[in-house]
């Protein structure tokens, strides 16, 4: 079976990109990263791609007169590279209809909260301020909204009394690095379908039990 051709779009440090690269090097992914694009010339993601011998390019949004011109340029590169799945990993640009029309149901994103709680930016701050007992991360398909698309997989992470934005972000990031490669692998295996807004993954092992935070002290 030929590997799924994926492109990764990232604006920042690229630790999720690295997790995908590592999985693929370890032979655990039926996907090949054919292109990494960043809108930020200083993105660590570009360096990581270079070091891994993956084709990479910066398309700086500031060089374009409008959002749609930028989007058309990015989509043209993705199509030329033959990308079959677009993986957003900390890509800080809003995905427009131009993207969605070019890759329907073929764009996925990772968000560092348990959606639909805390969409948008500064999510760790929002979860702490809210007093939530859990946050986590979500891999979802991208639709026209902000972090609203059908959910593929989530990891729940307890929020601790002593947590700061940084400590919570670090524990959530660890889980991101596990669930993103898994979601890509399911897609590569052709096991994912979307029914209404529910994602079905063929043959998965259902999660069992519940996590309670803080832990119960009463005997059950
Ligand atoms: C991650 O927390 C991801 O969930 C969010 O942006 C961050 C990107 O981190 N969308 P990295 O660049 O992959 O390290």
């Amino acid at each position: 079976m030929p590997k799924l051709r994926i492109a990764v779009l990232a604006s920042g440090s690229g630790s999720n990109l690295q997790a995908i690269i590592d999985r693929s090097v370890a032979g655990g992914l039926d996907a090949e990263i054919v292109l990494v694009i960043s809108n930020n010339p200083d993105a660590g993601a570009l360096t990581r791609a270079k070091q891994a011998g993956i084709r990479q390019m910066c398309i700086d949004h500031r060089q374009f007169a409008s959002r749609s011109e930028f989007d058309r340029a990015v989509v043209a590169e993705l199509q030329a590279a033959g990308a079959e799945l677009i993986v957003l990993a900390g890509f800080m640009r809003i995905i427009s209809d131009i993207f969605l029309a070019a890759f329907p149901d073929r764009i996925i994103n990772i968000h560092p909260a348990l959606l639909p709680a805390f969409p948008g930016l500064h999510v760790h701050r929002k979860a702490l301020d809210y007093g939530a007992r859990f946050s986590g991360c979500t891999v979802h398909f991208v639709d026209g909204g902000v972090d609203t698309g059908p959910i593929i997989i989530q990891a729940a992470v307890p929020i601790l009394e002593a947590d700061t934005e940084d400590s919570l972000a670090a524990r959530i990031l660890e889980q991101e690095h596990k669930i993103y490669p898994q979601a890509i692998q399911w897609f590569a295996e052709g096991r994912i379908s979307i029914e209404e807004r529910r994602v079905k993954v063929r043959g998965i092992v259902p999660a069992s039990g519940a996590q309670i935070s803080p832990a119960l002290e009463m005997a059950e």
Side-chain angles (χ1 to χ4, degrees), residues 8-19 43-45 48 88-92 109-113 120-121 123-124 136-138 147 169 172-173 176-177 180:
V8 180
L9 270 50
S11 305
S13 107
S15 73
N16 276 289
L17 167 67
Q18 191 66 53
R48 291 179 193 266
L88 308 183
F91 186 59
M92 302 306 283
N109 181 44
I110 189 151
H111 181 74
L121 297 174
V123 293
H124 305 306
C137 45
T138 304
D147 303 319
I172 290 177
L173 204 53
E176 294 185 36
H177 298 162
Y180 219 0

Side-chain angles (χ1 to χ4, degrees), residues 105-213:
D105 293 341
R106 285 182 168 268
I107 308 175
I108 59 177
N109 181 44
I110 189 151
H111 181 74
L114 273 185
L115 292 172
F118 312 124
L121 297 174
H122 311 297
V123 293
H124 305 306
R125 180 78 266 143
K126 288 182 196 162
L128 289 168
D129 288 351
Y130 194 89
R133 293 301 193 183
F134 285 98
S135 190
C137 45
T138 304
V139 178
H140 64 93
F141 283 99
V142 174
D143 64 8
V146 176
D147 303 319
T148 52
I151 292 172
I152 302 170
I153 182 171
Q154 296 186 299
V157 174
I159 296 177
L160 309 178
E161 302 269 321
D163 261 332
T164 60
E165 274 179 81
D166 286 350
S167 65
L168 180 59
R171 287 206 317 290
I172 290 177
L173 204 53
E174 256 178 65
Q175 302 305 317
E176 294 185 36
H177 298 162
K178 295 179 194 173
I179 67 172
Y180 219 0
Q182 175 66 82
I184 294 167
Q185 179 60 14
W186 283 333
F187 195 97
E189 291 169 342
R191 288 166 60 191
I192 294 188
S193 57
I194 308 175
E195 294 172 20
E196 304 289 328
R197 65 156 291 120
R198 295 177 68 178
V199 173
K200 296 279 161 70
V201 185
R202 221 171 348 101
I204 33 160
V205 182
S208 61
Q211 260 197 299
I212 300 177
S213 175

Side-chain angles (χ1 to χ4, degrees), residues 10 21 23 31 37-39 46 65 68 74 81 89 96 106 111 135 156 164 167 196 209 211 214:
I21 294 172
R23 281 283 174 169
I37 298 181
S38 182
N39 62 306
L46 292 174
S68 46
V74 175
S96 71
R106 285 182 168 268
H111 181 74
S135 190
T164 60
S167 65
E196 304 289 328
Q211 260 197 299

